[in-house]
Amino acid sequence: HNIIRVVFPMALGLALVPRRGAASVMGASALGSAVVFSMAGAPALGAGALTSLVLTGFFLDFALAGARSGRSVYVRLMLAGASANLVAMLVRGGMKALAGGQLEGLPLAVWFPKAIITYPLCGALAGLISAAVWFRFAAQAADADAKASP
């Protein structure tokens, strides 16, 4: 699943610039970029990929709004990744259903039983990896700054 390509850089942005609404701006910017690239002749993103690309930022902002502790950040990033990927799965599945069960890749009847497990699992894993990498470094930098201050 490509969710790691979405959550990982957005989590980096949030770790570097932890501002309310920053991830939503990244998601909206990603939508604008996808439209511009598509108009310039680049291959268009699928409905599921575009959904996760745009919604991940909003889910990250919502999930991290009340985060206080390190464990809370990990859990909330996992939930945001799983939620964004679950919505992407529903959109992609809906598109497959509208196309008579076959859009691209596997037929809906074969794809869905796998997707119902792998999409949320991969989204949660992407959130966990992102939190472990980026927010650990941010916490270490904050600790170093606190120790350096008199």
Side-chain angles (χ1 to χ4, degrees):
H1 291 283
N2 292 321
I3 190 69
I4 190 70
R5 293 184 195 169
V6 177
V7 175
F8 200 68
M10 284 193 188
L12 170 61
L14 286 174
L16 294 173
V17 184
R19 302 287 185 265
R20 183 174 295 147
S24 297
V25 170
M26 287 185 267
S29 299
L31 174 62
S33 298
V35 169
V36 168
F37 284 132
S38 178
M39 290 172 43
L45 294 173
L50 190 59
T51 299
S52 68
L53 183 64
V54 174
L55 289 183
T56 298
F58 296 103
F59 283 138
L60 287 173
D61 278 338
F62 180 75
L64 293 175
R68 298 286 179 247
S69 68
R71 183 176 298 190
S72 173
V73 169
Y74 278 67
V75 170
R76 289 166 183 254
L77 278 175
M78 288 174 62
L79 289 173
S83 298
N85 225 23
L86 191 57
V87 173
M89 180 205 68
L90 293 173
V91 167
R92 185 163 184 216
M95 296 297 287
K96 282 182 173 280
L98 289 174
Q102 181 69 40
L103 187 59
E104 79 260 347
L106 297 172
L108 180 62
V110 175
W111 173 82
F112 188 74
K114 294 176 185 179
I116 195 71
I117 296 167
T118 61
Y119 270 67
L121 185 62
C122 289
L125 188 59
L128 177 63
I129 291 168
S130 299
V133 171
W134 300 128
F135 285 88
R136 177 178 296 173
F137 291 133
Q140 288 171 350
D143 288 344
D145 288 344
K147 290 177 184 175
S149 303

